[in-house]
Amino acid sequence: MSTLSKRDRKTLLYIVLIALCVILIIFLLSRIKAEDKKEPATVTTKGGSITFFDVGQGDGALIKDGDNEAIIDNGTPENAYDFCEKLKKMGVDDIEYMLLTHNHDDHMGGSEAVANTFDIENLFLPDLSGTKSPTRILNAVSEKVQNEGGAVSVAKSGLFYNVGEIKLSVLSAYYELSDENDRSVIVIAELNGKKFLFTGDAGSAAEKRMLNEGIDFDCDVLKVGHHGSKGSSTAAFLMEATPLYAVISCGEGNVYRHPHDEALKRLVTSGAKVLRTDICGDITFYADSELHYKTEK
């Protein structure tokens, strides 16, 4: 077996060193290019956010822009503590506006816990004069807010207010209807030009009234009525709403079997992307150059 001469070994060593230098240079150049292409570690947004919380079989949403916050509904009594903890996690320390869509426990059952945890500057209630449901919780919360210097009003069509740069408007409230769900206050929020429609538990009767009255409820995000029940989100209503996203707030394995297959089919046929709190958890939307969202289970 032949051996390399001293000169050959020296030449081989030079070749190896040169090869290693070339590899190192290529590696460093690739790292520099990768750093140039790397996305920012965090997504910066402006104009606030709108979060649909997973509150089980109920509704609860937070509209937030900086230190300005509004709540639309607050879930069930059973989930009240978790709801308040989620608000704290989102940086809420007091609430400018709390609007309750209608007098059912799965939408306003957390009211006492919220009022005991946060200062509420303005409370908007549905008209309780025609309600068939017990009013103890809402009466107690109303009294507490007033005693602490807050304002209490009935939510009526035409009401609007600003949460930072986010505009909220009450589109309709059909208090003359007999069904408590159809009496739901219907609200639209505008976040950087993107519209979010909150329908409470409104069913086909309320939807038909909105259509007949020519109300503009075109939206980008629809909070689906009555947790995706069979009697809500009619085809005619969805044709006018044209949502890009449809958020269904419902509890996992709920006894009502919400959302109903027929409602889901209509939502999918409308072209909306369906997001469900029982599957996705909390759903937060942002709107800067475009509409986007994140989920947290």
Side-chain angles (χ1 to χ4, degrees):
M1 182 176 66
S2 61
T3 59
L4 295 174
S5 65
K6 185 175 180 181
R7 182 177 179 179
D8 290 337
R9 289 198 302 271
K10 191 173 182 180
T11 301
L12 181 60
L13 179 60
Y14 284 145
I15 293 172
V16 171
L17 289 174
I18 292 171
L20 289 174
C21 288
V22 171
I23 292 170
L24 180 60
I25 291 170
I26 293 172
F27 173 75
L28 291 175
L29 288 173
S30 66
R31 286 292 301 273
I32 292 171
K33 290 180 179 179
E35 290 295 327
D36 288 341
K37 294 181 179 180
K38 188 183 293 183
E39 295 294 330
T42 58
V43 178
T44 58
T45 61
K46 60 180 181 178
S49 62
I50 294 179
T51 300
F52 300 90
F53 289 115
D54 177 10
V55 292
Q57 184 63 18
D59 272 24
L62 170 67
I63 296 167
K64 183 174 175 61
D65 184 11
D67 294 329
N68 306 292
E69 294 103 1
I71 291 173
I72 298 180
D73 291 333
N74 50 48
T76 66
E78 295 77 16
N79 286 286
Y81 174 80
D82 288 340
F83 182 75
C84 290
E85 289 302 303
K86 288 183 178 186
L87 293 179
K88 291 178 183 177
K89 185 178 178 182
M90 296 286 287
V92 176
D93 51 19
D94 57 37
I95 298 167
E96 281 189 277
Y97 304 97
M98 182 164 75
L99 184 146
L100 304 175
T101 59
H102 65 294
N103 188 27
H104 276 165
D105 274 1
D106 56 338
H107 287 251
M108 59 80 188
S111 295
E112 287 183 294
V114 172
N116 289 330
T117 306
F118 305 97
D119 290 332
I120 300 172
E121 296 179 23
N122 299 278
L123 173 63
F124 294 107
L125 300 175
D127 187 342
L128 301 177
S129 61
T131 186
K132 299 175 183 178
S133 301
T135 59
R136 184 201 66 79
I137 292 177
L138 295 185
N139 288 336
V141 171
S142 177
E143 183 177 355
K144 180 175 177 58
V145 170
Q146 288 178 313
N147 288 341
E148 295 180 354
V152 179
S153 307
V154 173
K156 296 181 179 180
S157 177
L159 170 73
F160 68 91
Y161 52 97
N162 294 320
V163 182
E165 297 298 320
I166 304 172
K167 182 179 179 180
L168 272 70
S169 305
V170 175
L171 294 184
S172 63
Y174 300 117
Y175 297 130
E176 68 276 14
L177 296 178
S178 58
D179 187 279
E180 191 71 46
N181 290 330
D182 283 320
R183 290 162 51 88
S184 293
V185 180
I186 297 176
V187 179
I188 196 160
E190 188 167 346
L191 169 62
N192 280 337
K194 305 300 182 182
K195 294 181 178 180
F196 295 70
L197 183 63
F198 295 79
T199 58
D201 275 352
S204 58
E207 292 177 358
K208 186 175 181 180
R209 285 283 297 271
M210 293 181 71
L211 286 165
N212 289 342
E213 292 176 10
I215 294 175
D216 180 10
F217 52 86
D218 181 70
C219 62
D220 298 283
V221 179
L222 168 66
K223 200 295 299 178
V224 174
H226 202 193
H227 320 287
S229 72
K230 182 179 179 180
S232 299
S233 305
T234 60
F237 178 81
L238 292 174
M239 188 177 297
E240 291 297 319
T242 64
L244 299 174
Y245 297 94
V247 176
I248 301 176
S249 186
C250 61
E252 184 176 0
N254 66 85
V255 297
Y256 307 100
R257 297 184 178 180
H258 291 155
H260 195 278
D261 287 344
E262 289 188 26
L264 285 173
K265 183 178 179 180
R266 290 194 296 266
L267 290 165
V268 171
T269 301
S270 76
K273 178 179 176 62
V274 176
L275 301 171
R276 299 167 46 170
T277 59
D278 61 332
I279 295 174
C280 301
D282 302 334
I283 304 165
T284 299
F285 282 89
Y286 306 91
D288 36 39
S289 58
E290 60 183 21
L291 186 65
H292 54 101
Y293 69 93
K294 69 174 183 179
T295 63
E296 183 177 354
K297 187 69 172 172

